[in-house]
Amino acid sequence: MDRGKPSSKMHVLSDANGLPILVGVSAGDTHDSEALKPMVEGHQTRLAPHRGRFFKPRRLRADKAYDRADLRRWLRGKWIGVRIARNGIESSERSGRRRWAVERTMSWLSGYRRLSPRSERDPRNHLAFLGLAAALRCYKRLIRLTT
């Protein structure tokens, strides 16, 4: 919580390798857990032409900020496995073994000059630059894998 400061938060939905799938921006004073539903709903499932079925996320790993019972029920209703560290029960280090890929992706995206610190006043422009940075990250990974 930023106590009403004019700031914003980046939200990234990534795959297990750390490639950004979906990016979003919210106000700095909103809680992280409020952005989970729009991010998961915004992820478009696609049909596999050779198998005749939809691809969808199978598991979601998140930190303690997303530990809410209603979010867990909502994700299970969508048949998405949940691995969220529980407040006061589990250490975040255990789930951090898999979450480091997302943290690395956030670091990559915040390394672009236009994104950190935020220089755009209009949130649409900031989101556009964030999407461009995510596309560049995917392009760099593609080049590295194909050469």
Side-chain angles (χ1 to χ4, degrees), residues 18-114:
L19 282 178
I21 296 172
L22 188 67
V23 293
V25 176
S26 69
D29 60 348
T30 59
H31 197 268
D32 289 340
S33 62
E34 294 177 14
L36 182 66
K37 283 185 182 180
M39 292 294 285
V40 172
E41 286 175 349
H43 177 61
Q44 298 292 323
T45 57
R46 59 187 170 89
L47 185 64
H50 60 282
R51 293 187 183 175
R53 61 182 183 160
F54 284 96
F55 287 120
K56 68 179 185 80
R58 287 182 279 168
R59 280 183 293 254
L60 179 90
R61 298 185 188 276
D63 59 0
K64 291 181 182 186
Y66 299 94
D67 184 27
R68 288 185 15 201
D70 61 324
L71 289 178
R72 288 177 183 271
R73 279 192 305 272
W74 183 77
L75 287 167
R76 284 192 187 115
K78 291 193 163 287
W79 296 94
I80 298 174
V82 179
R83 181 66 182 109
I84 301 174
R86 295 182 183 159
N87 273 332
I89 298 173
E90 297 176 31
S91 170
S92 62
E93 293 173 2
R94 183 172 174 171
S95 63
R97 288 183 283 174
R98 303 276 194 278
R99 258 190 323 110
W100 68 269
V102 177
E103 299 298 331
R104 181 184 62 187
T105 304
M106 296 290 283
S107 175
W108 283 335
L109 294 178
S110 62
Y112 287 94
R113 184 177 67 96
R114 199 70 183 216

